[in-house]
């Protein structure tokens, strides 16, 4: 840490940002910065090219430099396998007097609800492990240590949570990451965009940040409504052995673009023989990532690059369509289209399989959780019984 701090003082510009991503060069008021392992080798990211395209590294460096990790009682320097939750506020307001973006009361309530859900999910996860132990194969993959837990939420939300909820979060989570504030995020994407889910591009930018900055070598990214639903849920980490990533197939192959298989598209010549039109989206609510894989590290950089470009291109297309009284022809519901681009660009270097033990049922009909290690649905807590602990 001393070496990293000294080096940070001697390097300026972009190199300063890149080196400081995971070094304790910035502090958060009233919290101790946490030294984060350098999972992504940024010196390699700055120069890689795929299909004659080199994604810019500056956005990732700037966003990472503004994200803070704070200590919790169980924080350690060894990070093997871990479950990452996102509790992101969706509602923001512009305060003209102070010229700043703030989280609205409804956004704060939404984020607090997700934090509480995530705390309960972690308690259930730990109770399963206490009852039946970690899956033996997963234990070998995870350095003979049980999985850890990380929570990501907004810098503007954390100080406003009720003391009891903050206490529960710091007790249950090993790491708490605080996303850049809304004013900083708005430098990259608008905070409102029609034809996008929840109309908030910053929401998905935060999820991409969590992927870039995960503290775990083997990461299970989960939406707030995803719940470990089986005593052997840690087997997921073993399932990733030998692979780069696993995800659920999306219920609609091109739902993120309003069923347009052509757009948005990668910034390269796809040719006439490329299978882009048949390359389906995956659901990003539950994703397993091997962050020690160089191919996955590069894919995450492409993921951010694709998302920023897609949002910009769509805003321009929408403006042209409004002037000509025409239709755009596609949409961007969230970040699944950006991940589709990134994985397509890296598909020859990635070893991947679909998740079959995570359940994401559609509709509101009867639910069968048999064989579900993790259940992903808004009412997941109502379906995962018997549970190992009462909440």
């Amino acid at each position: 840490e001393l070496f990293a701090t000294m080096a940070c003082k001697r390097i300026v510009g972009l190199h300063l940002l890149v080196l400081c991503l995971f070094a304790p060069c910035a502090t958060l008021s009233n919290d101790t910065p946490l030294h984060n392992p350098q999972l992504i080798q940024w010196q390699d990211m700055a120069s890689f090219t795929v299909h004659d395209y080199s994604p810019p590294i500056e956005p990732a460096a700037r966003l990472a430099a503004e994200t803070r990790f704070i200590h919790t009682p169980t924080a350690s320097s060894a990070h093997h396998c871990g479950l990452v939750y996102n509790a992101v506020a969706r509602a923001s307001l512009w305060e003209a007097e102070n010229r700043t973006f703030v989280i609205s009361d409804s956004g704060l309530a939404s984020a607090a609800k997700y934090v509480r859900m995530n705390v309960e999910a972690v308690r259930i996860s730990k109770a399963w492990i206490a009852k039946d132990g970690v899956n033996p194969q997963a234990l070998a993959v995870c350095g003979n240590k049980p999985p850890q837990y990380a929570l990501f939420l907004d810098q503007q939300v954390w100080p406003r949570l009720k003391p009891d909820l903050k206490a529960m979060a710091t007790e249950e989570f090993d790491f708490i990451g605080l996303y850049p504030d809304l004013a900083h995020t708005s430098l990259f994407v608008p905070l409102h965009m029609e034809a996008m889910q929840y109309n908030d591009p910053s929401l998905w930018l935060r999820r991409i940040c969590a992927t870039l900055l995960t503290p775990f070598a083997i990461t299970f990214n989960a939406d707030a409504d995803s719940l470990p639903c089986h005593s052997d849920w840690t087997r997921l980490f073993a399932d990733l052995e030998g692979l780069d990533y696993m995800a659920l197939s999306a219920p609609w192959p091109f739902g993120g673009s309003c069923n347009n298989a052509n757009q948005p598209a990668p910034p390269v010549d796809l040719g006439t023989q490329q299978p882009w039109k048949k390359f389906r989206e995956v659901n990003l609510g539950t994703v397993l990532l091997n962050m020690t894989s160089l191919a996955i590290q590069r894919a995450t950089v492409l993921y951010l690059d694709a998302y920023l470009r897609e949002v910009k291109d769509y805003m321009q297309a929408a403006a042209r369509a409004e002037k000509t009284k025409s239709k755009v022809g596609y949409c961007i519901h969230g970040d699944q289209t950006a991940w589709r681009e990134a994985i397509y660009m890296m598909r020859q270097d990635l070893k991947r399989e679909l998740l079959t033990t995570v359940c994401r049922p559609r509709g509101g009909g009867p639910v069968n959780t048999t064989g579900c290690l993790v259940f992903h649905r808004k009412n997941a807590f109502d379906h995962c019984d018997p549970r190992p602990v009462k909440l």
Side-chain angles (χ1 to χ4, degrees):
E1 293 186 7
L2 177 60
F3 171 80
T5 303
M6 292 175 63
C8 284
K9 292 180 179 179
R10 296 179 180 178
I11 302 176
V12 295
L14 172 61
H15 297 290
L16 173 63
L17 288 174
V18 172
L19 187 58
C20 288
L21 296 185
F22 298 105
C25 298
T27 59
L28 185 67
S29 178
N30 299 323
D31 285 302
T32 305
L34 176 67
H35 180 68
N36 205 28
Q38 197 166 0
L39 294 177
I40 294 183
Q41 301 300 310
W42 293 94
Q43 63 269 27
D44 296 335
M45 297 300 102
S47 60
F48 87 90
T49 299
V50 55
H51 297 290
D52 296 324
Y53 179 74
S54 296
I57 195 67
E58 290 88 348
R62 290 169 62 191
L63 285 168
E66 291 295 326
T67 299
R68 306 288 184 259
F69 281 86
I70 60 175
H71 271 301
T72 65
T74 55
S76 68
S77 59
H79 321 297
H80 296 280
C81 298
L83 174 59
V84 175
Y85 274 119
N86 290 278
V88 181
R90 290 199 292 255
S92 58
L93 294 175
W94 170 253
E95 282 192 347
E97 182 179 354
N98 299 324
R99 299 191 61 79
T100 185
F101 288 97
V102 298
I103 302 296
S104 66
D105 289 341
S106 61
L108 178 63
S110 176
K113 173 185 175 182
Y114 289 146
V115 172
R116 193 172 296 275
M117 286 174 57
N118 297 158
V119 166
E120 293 176 350
V122 170
R123 287 176 175 173
I124 289 175
S125 305
K126 291 179 178 179
W128 283 125
I129 292 174
K131 179 177 180 291
D132 293 326
V134 179
N135 176 279
Q137 288 76 30
L139 199 61
V141 170
C142 297
N144 292 317
K145 293 185 178 182
Q148 294 181 303
Y149 304 88
L151 173 70
F152 281 85
L153 71 163
D154 292 289
Q155 286 186 22
Q156 290 160 296
V157 166
W158 178 252
R160 295 173 60 189
L161 293 178
K162 292 182 178 179
D164 65 322
L165 186 54
K166 290 180 70 174
M168 286 190 291
T170 53
E171 179 181 358
E172 298 299 339
F173 286 95
D174 301 284
F175 305 95
I176 296 176
L178 304 182
Y179 294 119
D181 62 40
L182 290 170
H184 187 85
T185 304
S186 67
L187 299 176
F188 296 89
V189 293
L191 295 183
H192 183 85
M193 188 176 89
E194 297 295 338
M196 172 170 278
Q197 191 174 10
Y198 308 121
N199 297 326
D200 184 0
S202 69
L203 175 70
W204 311 106
L205 183 60
R206 288 169 169 78
R207 180 156 75 173
I208 296 171
C209 280
T211 302
L212 281 166
L213 301 176
T214 172
F216 306 125
I218 307 297
T219 290
F220 181 42
N221 271 352
D223 278 356
D225 55 352
S226 298
L227 179 67
C229 210
H230 192 280
S231 61
D232 198 32
W233 76 270
T234 55
R235 194 185 86 204
L236 286 168
F237 298 108
D239 291 343
L240 190 64
E241 188 173 17
L243 300 173
D244 295 303
Y245 97 95
M246 300 178 74
L248 279 175
S249 178
W252 295 276
F254 310 108
S257 57
C258 293
N259 298 317
N260 188 323
N262 296 311
Q263 292 179 288
V268 296
D269 183 6
L270 297 175
T272 58
Q273 304 300 320
Q274 298 287 2
W276 171 245
K277 294 181 181 180
K278 298 181 180 180
F279 200 79
R280 298 174 53 119
E281 296 174 13
V282 297
N283 183 280
L284 297 181
T286 47
V287 182
L288 275 163
L289 300 165
N290 177 7
M291 294 304 296
T292 66
S293 161
L294 181 60
I296 275 294
Q297 292 175 11
R298 290 178 170 178
T300 58
V301 173
L302 287 166
Y303 177 31
L304 172 62
D305 174 66
Y307 183 70
L308 296 181
R309 177 174 33 78
E310 287 181 4
V311 170
K312 179 181 178 180
D313 289 350
Y314 182 83
M315 294 290 286
Q316 293 175 345
R320 289 193 299 268
E322 185 176 2
K323 286 183 179 180
T324 58
K325 307 299 182 182
S326 59
K327 295 183 179 180
V328 177
Y330 71 99
C331 70
I332 304 172
H333 271 321
D335 57 341
Q336 286 188 183
T337 52
W339 183 255
R340 179 191 176 210
E341 278 196 45
I343 297 305
Y344 181 83
M345 296 273 281
M346 295 297 302
R347 68 192 186 283
Q348 294 177 345
D349 300 311
L350 288 172
K351 298 177 181 178
R352 62 191 192 275
E353 289 184 5
L354 291 176
L355 276 172
T356 58
T357 52
V358 173
C359 299
R360 174 67 163 159
R362 287 188 286 175
V367 174
N368 181 6
T369 60
T370 302
C372 299
L373 299 183
V374 173
F375 191 77
H376 181 197
R377 193 172 177 175
K378 290 187 182 299
N379 56 350
F381 287 85
D382 298 331
H383 295 289
C384 290
D385 283 318
R387 291 198 295 260
V389 61
K390 291 185 177 180
L391 302 173

